[in-house]
Amino acid sequence: MSFISVLFALLLEQARPLTSGNAIHVAMRSWVRFCSLNLDVGKPLHGWLAWGLAVLGPSVMALLIYWSLDFWFGWPLALLWSALVLYASLGFRQFSFHFTEIRNALANDDDALARTLLAQWQNIDAQSWSHSEMIGRLIELSVLAAHRHVFGVLAWFSVLAALGFGPMGAVLYRLAEFVVRYWQHKGQALQQPVSQALQTNALAAWHWIDALPARITVLGFAVVGNFEEAIDGWRRYTAQSGTDNDGLVLAATAGAINVQLGTVQGANPPATAGSASAQGFSLRPPPELAHLAILVGLVWRAVVMWLVLLALLTLARLIA
């Protein structure tokens, strides 16, 4: 069932991607805002209550609907529900559109347009970035977007679906990632009072929830990319006391596609004398347009690997 749900959701997402202003996302933002406004009073305990209601509430609801459909109507409707929830949780086309526009601008040597598109996508100041820096930043942003909107969702969906929890994992991961961005943005913009306790709790919960998917993403990139360099990037980042999940993903990606990614500590550790592996890090080329095509191939191979793995697991379960 997991394989069919994932395949259906990916095909539907490619054919009819959800726009940023769709009803599902609007409802999600309204729900998260409601939880923080009514439960966030600045105390850590209330912060956890707000986070639990905002994230666990919809996750449990998705699970109860899945169980009800499976019990009363059978597995076909339960499978359809899982596929629809996964479709709403995925966001492949939501970031690939930005990636394509910026890549085309860079390919046409229109750095001014590329800076503008980067700034609009991530709300950052890119005016001082060089051509190579923009390519490197585009790689980093796209890798993290692919991890959070595709591979992380698939990881939690697959793990919990295998345990009989249906699409609960997809909702859990998507909302855990969303509330961090939403509450931090609202707190900084002063549009909505969001306590520091709530933001801290949401960030801590996201760190633990993303820990497993980050490592699964790293392993996937290693298998379909340069395995030795990707694993070496993982090992070196960890050895430097790197605990950030995003940094781990980028450090492994730098090795998987053989490119320098310098904005995240550990992505390209400095070379040390007498170490052939470290010398390999120092010899990585700076970001170039060719690396964007390599990155696209890496992501799609990882997606295909996921589908093949789920298909084999489904087949093994049917045979058993």
Side-chain angles (χ1 to χ4, degrees):
M1 290 179 61
S2 296
F3 167 72
I4 298 175
S5 298
V6 170
L7 180 61
F8 180 80
L10 286 173
L11 291 176
L12 185 59
E13 210 270 336
Q14 289 296 310
R16 295 293 299 271
L18 292 172
T19 60
S20 58
N22 66 83
I24 297 175
H25 291 174
V26 170
M28 179 175 65
R29 286 192 292 269
S30 298
W31 171 251
V32 172
R33 183 174 184 271
F34 169 83
C35 293
S36 60
L37 283 176
N38 288 275
L39 293 175
D40 179 27
V41 295
K43 303 293 184 180
L45 176 60
H46 294 85
W48 283 119
L49 290 174
W51 183 91
L53 184 62
V55 176
L56 298 181
S59 302
V60 173
M61 182 61 67
L63 171 62
L64 293 177
I65 294 175
Y66 170 81
W67 280 347
S68 299
L69 290 174
D70 188 37
F71 180 79
W72 292 106
F73 302 102
W75 65 266
L77 278 182
L79 185 149
L80 179 61
W81 170 250
S82 292
L84 291 177
V85 171
L86 188 58
Y87 163 67
S89 302
L90 290 170
F92 206 112
R93 292 287 296 274
Q94 294 179 28
F95 71 87
S96 63
F97 170 77
H98 298 285
F99 174 86
T100 301
E101 281 196 324
I102 298 170
R103 180 184 62 181
N104 291 340
L106 291 170
N108 294 328
D109 292 325
D110 193 345
D111 289 358
L113 177 59
R115 293 188 183 96
T116 300
L117 294 173
L118 271 170
Q120 292 175 350
W121 179 23
Q122 293 292 324
N123 193 27
I124 54 180
D125 183 8
Q127 295 305 312
S128 62
W129 292 352
S130 67
H131 186 80
S132 180
E133 287 173 334
M134 283 191 289
I135 295 175
R137 189 56 173 160
L138 179 60
I139 292 174
E140 294 175 2
L141 292 171
S142 301
V143 165
L144 294 180
H147 165 62
R148 295 173 184 174
H149 291 276
V150 181
F151 300 114
V153 175
L154 292 178
W156 269 111
F157 171 80
S158 301
V159 169
L160 293 190
L163 298 176
F165 292 96
M168 180 180 180
V171 181
L172 173 69
Y173 185 85
R174 168 55 46 235
L175 283 175
E177 188 272 339
F178 173 74
V179 297
V180 173
R181 290 188 290 110
Y182 182 84
W183 284 332
Q184 286 184 346
H185 170 70
K186 291 300 182 182
Q188 294 171 357
L190 299 178
Q191 297 175 352
Q192 173 186 333
V194 179
S195 70
Q196 187 61 46
L198 179 56
Q199 296 183 49
T200 301
N201 290 350
L203 189 60
W206 167 243
H207 172 78
W208 288 107
I209 289 174
D210 191 42
L212 176 62
R215 284 148 183 82
I216 293 177
T217 297
V218 166
L219 286 175
F221 285 173
V223 170
V224 300
N226 188 322
F227 184 86
E228 181 179 354
E229 289 296 321
I231 297 300
D232 195 37
W234 180 354
R235 179 181 62 81
R236 288 172 175 272
Y237 184 77
T238 304
Q240 291 183 347
S241 300
T243 58
D244 181 70
N245 296 321
D246 289 350
L248 176 63
V249 171
L250 293 180
T253 302
I257 64 176
N258 189 33
V259 65
Q260 294 179 16
L261 296 177
T263 63
V264 175
Q265 180 184 7
N268 283 284
T272 56
S275 171
S277 180
Q279 292 172 8
F281 272 92
S282 65
L283 295 177
R284 284 182 187 162
E288 300 175 354
L289 280 173
H291 288 112
L292 298 179
I294 296 174
L295 175 64
V296 172
L298 181 80
V299 170
W300 276 112
R301 289 196 302 272
V303 171
V304 172
M305 184 195 70
W306 262 103
L307 291 174
V308 171
L309 179 60
L310 288 175
L312 292 175
L313 292 175
T314 302
L315 180 62
R317 186 174 182 178
L318 292 175
I319 293 176

